[in-house]
Amino acid sequence: MYIPKADGKKRPLGIPAVIDRAIQAAMSRILNEIYEQDFLKSSFGFRPGLSCHHALATINEILYRRKAEYVLEVDIQDFFGSLSHEWLKKFLRLRIGDERVLKLIEAWLSAGVMENGQLQVGEEKGTPQGGSVTP
């Protein structure tokens, strides 16, 4: 399905089957354990136990206690739509040695989508949003 964006465009939303959602949630916990140590304390997006409220509180503290004068917010345009499967797989191989895990992630990336009863084969870039493992 597609959901509207602020700019009037529509963003595709992938809705995995129940079993896929459960497996993705388990994989997400494993990947969080592997990669959580790499994030800065100032990074809040899709992190376990953190939300936009934590980010706002941090910004508030920086602005008022440290007398900062600028705030910069950065968003990568069409990140999920342009994510390179090749580079993601190379990146994952640096830290994950279990081929079964890598093949499962590769299968999710190339699964394609069912739209109006028609299967659309996955491309070599992009990933659907909406699954437990997407972030």
Side-chain angles (χ1 to χ4, degrees):
M1 78 183 297
Y2 293 88
I3 56 175
K5 294 174 64 172
D7 63 3
K9 294 180 182 178
K10 293 185 177 183
R11 177 180 74 182
L13 182 65
I15 304 173
V18 174
I19 189 69
D20 284 330
R21 186 171 291 279
I23 295 169
Q24 286 182 12
M27 181 64 68
S28 180
R29 285 193 295 274
I30 292 167
L31 294 172
N32 278 334
E33 289 295 322
I34 293 170
Y35 291 105
E36 180 62 24
Q37 64 189 344
D38 296 342
F39 286 93
L40 299 174
K41 291 181 180 181
S42 59
S43 177
F44 295 93
F46 299 109
R47 305 247 331 266
L50 298 175
S51 70
C52 60
H53 299 290
H54 293 98
L56 290 172
T58 301
I59 290 170
N60 187 50
E61 179 183 332
I62 291 170
L63 287 175
Y64 293 107
R65 291 189 184 196
R66 299 183 190 170
K67 306 294 185 209
E69 296 181 22
Y70 300 96
V71 174
L72 175 65
E73 186 223 354
V74 177
D75 187 22
I76 300 173
Q77 184 176 356
D78 193 29
F79 175 79
F80 287 103
S82 59
L83 182 71
S84 165
H85 293 185
E86 179 185 351
W87 280 104
L88 178 59
K89 290 186 280 189
K90 286 179 182 180
F91 179 77
L92 290 169
R93 284 189 182 286
L94 294 173
R95 301 280 286 279
I96 300 171
D98 190 330
E99 284 296 321
R100 296 169 297 181
V101 170
L102 295 167
K103 285 191 182 284
L104 183 58
I105 294 171
E106 186 173 344
W108 287 328
L109 288 171
S110 62
V113 294
M114 183 72 72
E115 186 173 3
N116 297 325
Q118 299 291 320
L119 178 63
Q120 296 183 9
V121 179
E123 298 181 25
E124 289 298 313
K125 66 176 186 161
T127 182
Q129 297 178 63
S132 304
V133 79
T134 302

